[in-house]
Amino acid sequence: MKIGIDLGGTNIAGGLVSDDGKLLYKTSTPTVTDSEGALLSAIAKVINEIKAQADGAEIDAVGIGVPGHADDKTGIVVYCNNIPFVNTDLAGYIKKETGLPCTIGNDANAAALAEVLFGAARGYQNAVMITLGTGIGAGIIFNKKLFTGCNGAAGEIGHMVICPDGIECNCGRRGCYELYGSATALKRQTREAMKKHPESKLWEFAKTLDGVTGKTAFDAMRAGDKAGAEVVNQYVRYLSSGVIDIINLLFPEAIIFGGGVAKEGEALLAPLREIVDRECYSLHGNKTHFLSAELGNDAGIIGAAFLGE
Amino acid sequence: MKIGIDLGGTNIAGGLVSDDGKLLYKTSTPTVTDSEGALLSAIAKVINEIKAQADGAEIDAVGIGVPGHADDKTGIVVYCNNIPFVNTDLAGYIKKETGLPCTIGNDANAAALAEVLFGAARGYQNAVMITLGTGIGAGIIFNKKLFTGCNGAAGEIGHMVICPDGIECNCGRRGCYELYGSATALKRQTREAMKKHPESKLWEFAKTLDGVTGKTAFDAMRAGDKAGAEVVNQYVRYLSSGVIDIINLLFPEAIIFGGGVAKEGEALLAPLREIVDRECYSLHGNKTHFLSAELGNDAGIIGAAFLGE
């Protein structure tokens, strides 16, 4: 029996997870951001609450997925954007407070691990999960284990440059992948198309510029709207650029797409596959399979529970 | 005792390699490109010649590095640009002809393996070797083992796009990394600078446009030439683009640079490191070390011998 914690900027979600990846109990509490100490203590409280639900069964591991740079080897959260952790010995604190072995990792990595162990890619040994959200995150799995690099930070594909001299990124480079391929980027591209095409059906679905979601352009395309189809086509082209780079570099057996945009399924994956088949370097031999994530929001909790495996 | 073969477009180089990576005997013969059968038989002949040098010591492995797409899992050479192998069961043939177990792999991968096992990166578990030659090749090592992806083709970093809408590549994309960061690209950039700057010292070192090498711009820079320094600066910027992408994705402990250009050592690596330190995503925690390859041309033979490990 394991405990998984998905630490987010808004909530601390956690649960009791069986050894075969079933979420047996789930809880959530708002993230305290007043101070490092208050947040540490809130996380320990959630873990102890979940532990109490185990009916005395042995908990052999606690794992915590963190929205930032977590060094899995040292147990230290190096830095998070929206959370008061800087060089915080999170694993050490939790071990001391709960008496349980604790491993930490990045939240996108935890989700990737869950999808490969128990979700969409459970039949694969080597896979990359790309999460299309506010930014673009990724988790890299080799031989059913996470690859985190020399400092726990591997998988930052959102900051590969796909448009040199493109939009400025807060990472210090220009034209980063996530500025063109994330859900945020898709929404921006949709709003730009709406301004250019006041006649387009994009307006019917979004109502206002503020009403745009990652679904708007896909909905308009399905309703036969030309501007909507153009937004989707251009977005898929941007997305393909990073996907082809990853395939040329790693040739994973599978790429799993997660996040809201990935819910479009084949409407997203079919045109993406077409571009990749045409442009990826090795046109011979096995191809990388494209999959949609299956575990949704629970992936973060389930994967966190297995970070120590 | 092992046998390593480095199959090139010009020569079949091979040798007897000790279990601790020493090259004990080395031989070379021109590559026959008349037919698949003639080349297979030439390779078997080289292996039998090397075997005869082992003084009866047991040969426990033969490995062959191939300049193209070799599937290490099936033993089949899928495709090579300059060699008459298409879906050729090279490992199967060699086993039959020599009675020895045989593993095949890509030649850049073999060199990377040698540098991590016995060369520049022998102290590291996870590393990427980038070879700057006619194109850009790479080998990816995790836990001292090659990572080759689902079809043996992983490591094609030369075909990551760094300049969308840039120069057309024979792979079907535009703006591929190797069109800007390879030795070939550096030579092209040097010739362009020579045409623009007839007063530059580049002319003193190259004499003619045909006399340009990967060293010309570095030599001119060291002699205080402004155009030479500009060529080097721009080349290092191009090179950094792909290096940062790889670091953001994999955060390897080390990147080893091989090929002629890498012989510039710190003249290349110091400015590269400066850009990477500024622009790579995670500015915290451990950094990726930059190293120059140590084993030179022997890396291909030595690494090939260990492809089956």
Side-chain angles (χ1 to χ4, degrees):
Chain A
M1 207 83 91
K2 300 172 198 306
I3 291 173
I5 301 288
D6 185 6
L7 177 60
T10 314
N11 288 302
I12 308 171
L16 192 64
V17 183
S18 69
D19 289 347
D20 59 350
K22 299 254 179 338
L23 188 52
L24 307 173
Y25 168 80
K26 193 170 156 183
T27 183
S28 178
T29 183
T31 303
V32 206
T33 53
D34 308 345
S35 72
E36 182 189 67
L39 179 54
L40 282 171
S41 136
I43 296 170
K45 205 175 145 208
V46 171
I47 292 170
N48 281 324
E49 181 203 324
I50 298 169
K51 189 180 165 185
Q53 296 291 326
D55 274 341
E58 198 198 342
I59 306 289
D60 58 18
V62 174
I64 306 176
V66 168
H69 179 181
D71 191 330
D72 51 326
K73 288 162 197 85
T74 61
I76 288 171
V77 180
V78 180
Y79 180 76
C80 289
N81 244 337
N82 307 308
I83 279 179
F85 282 172
V86 179
N87 289 321
T88 301
D89 184 8
L90 176 57
Y93 177 86
I94 296 299
K95 275 180 217 167
K96 199 173 54 130
E97 287 298 308
T98 66
L100 297 169
C102 177
T103 309
I104 66 169
N106 172 269
D107 53 1
N109 285 356
L113 186 59
E115 292 288 349
V116 171
L117 291 176
F118 308 110
R122 60 190 170 279
Y124 299 89
Q125 297 291 314
N126 303 310
V128 175
M129 177 162 169
I130 300 180
T131 302
L132 307 170
T134 311
I136 297 186
I140 303 170
I141 311 279
F142 294 126
N143 296 327
K144 293 271 182 198
K145 285 183 191 302
L146 268 174
F147 178 79
T148 60
C150 68
N151 59 6
E156 286 297 347
I157 64 164
H159 299 280
M160 301 198 318
V161 168
I162 67 158
C163 291
D165 310 318
I167 304 169
E168 198 172 344
C169 184
N170 59 15
C171 81
R173 302 180 90 187
R174 281 182 171 276
C176 285
Y177 188 34
E178 69 178 29
L179 298 173
Y180 299 86
S182 64
T184 311
L186 173 58
K187 286 191 259 182
R188 187 192 72 236
Q189 292 151 8
T190 304
R191 282 192 296 266
E192 284 164 5
M194 287 167 72
K195 287 182 208 162
K196 261 196 227 156
H197 302 284
E199 79 294 354
S200 128
K201 286 187 184 160
L202 290 165
W203 286 99
E204 286 175 29
F205 289 97
K207 312 292 181 208
T208 65
L209 290 175
D210 285 344
V212 166
T213 70
K215 227 169 143 272
T216 306
F218 284 93
D219 284 341
M221 178 183 72
R222 277 184 284 263
D225 183 58
K226 202 176 149 218
E230 271 167 20
V231 170
V232 171
N233 286 346
Q234 181 58 54
Y235 174 74
V236 170
R237 270 219 71 81
Y238 284 133
L239 198 59
S240 76
S241 178
V243 168
I244 297 169
D245 284 352
I246 289 165
I247 293 181
N248 282 348
L249 187 57
L250 298 177
F251 266 104
E253 294 168 87
I255 295 182
I256 313 142
F257 292 89
V261 184
K263 292 193 181 123
E264 296 295 335
E266 284 302 303
L268 176 77
L269 300 186
L272 187 64
R273 212 177 272 125
E274 198 186 304
I275 300 174
V276 171
D277 280 354
R278 198 168 57 229
E279 296 194 7
C280 88
Y281 185 67
S282 175
L283 304 170
H284 311 275
N286 294 328
K287 281 181 186 167
T288 299
H289 296 104
F290 289 181
L291 312 168
S292 297
E294 285 179 5
L295 301 174
N297 289 335
D298 290 344
I301 300 175
I302 296 171
F306 290 84
L307 283 171
E309 296 282 289
Chain B
M1 208 81 93
K2 299 173 199 306
I3 291 173
I5 302 290
D6 186 5
L7 176 59
T10 314
N11 288 302
I12 308 170
L16 192 65
V17 183
S18 69
D19 289 346
D20 59 349
K22 300 255 180 334
L23 189 52
L24 307 174
Y25 168 80
K26 195 169 153 182
T27 182
S28 179
T29 182
T31 303
V32 206
T33 53
D34 309 343
S35 71
E36 182 189 65
L39 180 54
L40 283 172
S41 134
I43 296 170
K45 202 175 147 209
V46 171
I47 292 170
N48 281 324
E49 178 202 326
I50 298 169
K51 190 179 165 187
Q53 296 291 326
D55 274 341
E58 199 199 341
I59 305 291
D60 59 17
V62 173
I64 306 176
V66 168
H69 179 182
D71 191 329
D72 51 328
K73 288 161 197 86
T74 61
I76 287 172
V77 180
V78 181
Y79 180 76
C80 289
N81 244 337
N82 308 310
I83 279 178
F85 282 173
V86 179
N87 290 320
T88 301
D89 183 9
L90 176 58
Y93 177 87
I94 296 299
K95 274 180 218 169
K96 199 174 54 133
E97 288 297 308
T98 65
L100 296 170
C102 176
T103 309
I104 66 169
N106 172 270
D107 54 359
N109 285 357
L113 186 60
E115 291 289 349
V116 170
L117 292 177
F118 307 109
R122 59 190 171 279
Y124 298 89
Q125 296 291 314
N126 304 310
V128 175
M129 176 162 170
I130 299 180
T131 302
L132 307 169
T134 311
I136 299 187
I140 303 171
I141 311 278
F142 294 125
N143 296 326
K144 293 270 182 197
K145 284 183 192 301
L146 268 174
F147 179 78
T148 61
C150 67
N151 59 6
E156 286 296 348
I157 65 165
H159 300 280
M160 302 198 318
V161 168
I162 68 158
C163 290
D165 310 317
I167 304 169
E168 198 172 344
C169 184
N170 59 14
C171 81
R173 301 180 92 188
R174 279 183 172 277
C176 286
Y177 188 33
E178 68 179 27
L179 298 174
Y180 298 86
S182 64
T184 311
L186 173 58
K187 286 190 258 180
R188 188 192 69 234
Q189 293 151 8
T190 304
R191 282 192 295 265
E192 284 164 6
M194 286 167 73
K195 287 181 207 162
K196 260 195 226 158
H197 301 284
E199 80 292 354
S200 129
K201 287 188 183 159
L202 289 165
W203 287 100
E204 286 175 28
F205 290 97
K207 311 293 179 210
T208 65
L209 289 174
D210 285 343
V212 167
T213 70
K215 226 169 144 270
T216 307
F218 284 92
D219 283 341
M221 178 182 73
R222 277 184 284 264
D225 183 59
K226 204 177 147 217
E230 272 167 18
V231 170
V232 170
N233 286 345
Q234 181 57 54
Y235 174 74
V236 170
R237 272 219 69 82
Y238 284 133
L239 198 60
S240 76
S241 179
V243 168
I244 296 169
D245 285 351
I246 289 165
I247 293 180
N248 282 347
L249 187 59
L250 298 177
F251 265 105
E253 295 169 84
I255 295 182
I256 313 142
F257 293 88
V261 184
K263 291 193 182 123
E264 295 295 335
E266 284 301 303
L268 177 77
L269 300 186
L272 188 64
R273 212 177 270 125
E274 198 187 305
I275 301 174
V276 171
D277 281 354
R278 198 168 60 229
E279 298 195 5
C280 87
Y281 185 68
S282 175
L283 304 170
H284 311 274
N286 295 329
K287 280 180 188 169
T288 299
H289 296 104
F290 289 0
L291 313 168
S292 297
E294 285 179 5
L295 301 175
N297 290 335
D298 291 344
I301 299 175
I302 296 171
F306 290 84
L307 282 171
E309 297 282 288

